[in-house]
Amino acid sequence: MAQLWGGRFTKETDRLVYNFNASIGFDRRMYAQDIRGSKAHVDMLAKQKILTEAERDAITAGLDGILADVESGSLEITEEYEDIHSFVEANLIDRIGDVGKKLHTGRSRNDQVALDMKLYTRDEIDELQGLLKALLHVLHDLMKVHTETVMPGFTHLQKAQPITLAHHLGAYFEMFRRDYLRLRDIRRRMNECPLGAGALAGTTYPLDREYTAALLGFDRATANSMDSVSDRDYLIELLSAMSTVMMHLSRFSEEIIIWNTNEYRFVELDDAYSTGSSIMPQKKNPDIAELVRGKTGRVYGALMALLTAMKGLPLAYNKDMQEDKELVYDAIDTTKGCITLFTGMLNTMTFQKDVMEASAKGGFTNATDAADYLVKKGVPFRDAHGIVGALVLYCIEKNISLDQMTLEEYKAISPVFEQDVYEAIAMKTCVEKRLTKGAPGAEAMKAAIEENARWLSEIEGQQ
Ligand code: ARG
């Protein structure tokens, strides 16, 4: 049991208490951030003449040595230490002797852990944004290919009106674009450095907090030391943003699961992204999509758990806050894994264009267009609606689609129908006439795709 405290204690900590309290089992993943923060801290201490340059150099070299040894595997982060901060400090003292004991001057583990967690999540936000960008590129490329792939658009999961696959995918492009921008907002808002807040009330040393903040790539130092050590808002925002990403992935997964059924056959998953059954040889299951859908609950759970952990906490630091780590780590790992797998699945999936188009026809998705045709010939819309309803009923009885009716059959229901009805209700016409901004018509889609391309190149190389 290696602890940073103990001076005022007369008894050893109970082993179970020690284990219950320790966070090394999980916060070890922040070793690089912890070392980076400590190096910036001693740089600042030396600049402020709180440490000598020689002391700074010795501590920095020691910290670099720890980092190199952890990375090469020659130094193991063991459960013997209470947390990652104790591990680094104890190792530093072992390595460089008493001068290592000066590292923690003007610092508390409260501002230290607040910093480590910010450095860690900031890196992860960058990665999440990168993964979303890759997904947006796959969607964009598919949209370009499928501007003429007609499919039914659904409401209530009932076929409604014809759209194109590009249009359907375009809806997800918007969702993931918002997710990307949400992460960018969070990153900007959280980018303030808590180091120097001390335990809660700042320190009596003449620290230059803005200097440390700049060294670590923050926009500024945080404004209030109590808030600095007890703010977990940015983690809640991140969990909320990741929950929204997962919700979008889950909706899309649900559609893919439906589209991949024998009944729909709109898509076929690549063999590399499907799984089989141990008993039913014919099966090719969409396990990846199902797992993405299933894992959504985990990320929502983390959001609820952290909100609940924070809700009754008085200022400033309380140990309850240690609970943030496993929740956030797991949610980040889960979300990153899901975006990556989903992107691969989407990129390798085959879209069955003919099946999609036949489904649009078979589902009377052009019924609204047939009614609009009559309206153009002077029939009031309400009457046109009734006439087309009768057409649909007739088709259902005969098990045919609207375009398979003969002109005589049309005329028997309404004499207004002429030969040009076939052109008016052709799937291609139905889609192409929908030209308002955001609609699936070819011109409107072209504009949307151009705008997406412009935006994708704008965010290239940006956060
Ligand atoms: N492991 C702790 C956490 O994650 C670090 C801060 C400890 N501070 C304290 N006063 N016990 O929150």
Side-chain angles (χ1 to χ4, degrees), residues 23 27 83 85 109-110 113 232 317 319 321-322 324-325:
S23 53
D27 67 15
D83 52 30
H85 328 297
R109 274 186 298 167
N110 295 352
V113 78
R232 299 294 182 271
Y317 178 83
K319 190 72 174 206
M321 291 171 178
Q322 180 168 288
D324 63 357
K325 292 179 193 61

Side-chain angles (χ1 to χ4, degrees), residues 169-184:
L169 297 173
Y172 284 103
F173 190 98
E174 293 307 314
M175 293 180 231
F176 293 119
R177 185 214 305 265
R178 287 193 295 271
D179 288 331
Y180 177 91
L181 293 172
R182 238 185 300 278
L183 289 169
R184 186 162 84 181

Side-chain angles (χ1 to χ4, degrees), residues 120-136:
Y120 178 80
T121 45
R122 201 174 62 178
D123 290 347
E124 294 288 2
I125 289 176
D126 293 347
E127 284 202 25
L128 281 162
Q129 284 187 284
L131 293 174
L132 282 176
K133 211 187 281 182
L135 172 56
L136 284 161

Side-chain angles (χ1 to χ4, degrees), residues 270-438:
D270 193 73
D271 277 1
Y273 279 85
S274 326
T275 46
S277 158
S278 60
I279 173 169
M280 298 165 282
Q282 84 282 13
K283 289 287 223 111
K284 193 171 150 189
N285 293 329
D287 284 25
I288 299 308
E290 290 172 344
L291 275 171
V292 170
R293 189 176 58 182
K295 284 176 190 290
T296 305
R298 258 165 92 150
V299 179
Y300 288 6
L303 171 62
M304 279 306 121
L306 189 58
L307 277 169
T308 311
M310 293 300 294
K311 77 179 262 295
L313 300 190
L315 287 176
Y317 178 83
N318 300 271
K319 190 72 174 206
D320 315 44
M321 291 171 178
Q322 180 168 288
E323 285 295 302
D324 63 357
K325 292 179 193 61
E326 288 162 288
L327 298 171
V328 170
Y329 297 161
D330 183 69
I332 289 175
D333 292 348
T334 304
T335 309
K336 275 166 60 183
C338 288
I339 305 173
T340 307
L341 269 290
F342 190 93
T343 303
M345 177 176 70
L346 186 65
N347 207 14
T348 52
M349 198 158 90
T350 313
F351 292 94
Q352 312 282 25
K353 293 168 55 159
D354 296 348
V355 180
M356 286 181 160
E357 176 149 6
S359 168
K361 277 190 194 163
F364 305 107
T365 56
N366 46 1
T368 315
D369 298 86
D372 289 344
Y373 166 87
L374 290 174
V375 170
K376 276 194 205 106
K377 303 240 168 195
V379 180
F381 182 77
R382 194 47 58 211
D383 292 342
H385 189 283
I387 294 167
V388 177
L391 292 180
V392 169
L393 201 59
Y394 180 81
C395 285
I396 291 171
E397 272 163 17
K398 298 200 72 181
N399 196 22
I400 55 174
S401 54
L402 286 173
D403 62 327
Q404 288 169 324
M405 284 176 65
T406 64
L407 191 55
E408 290 68 49
E409 288 171 311
Y410 270 110
K411 282 192 174 294
I413 292 174
S414 168
V416 182
F417 285 113
E418 304 286 348
Q419 186 61 34
D420 58 356
V421 67
Y422 294 105
E423 169 65 18
I425 61 159
M427 284 296 141
K428 204 168 154 26
T429 321
C430 298
V431 172
E432 268 175 11
K433 278 187 308 197
R434 294 183 149 76
L435 282 173
T436 43
K437 183 180 179 196

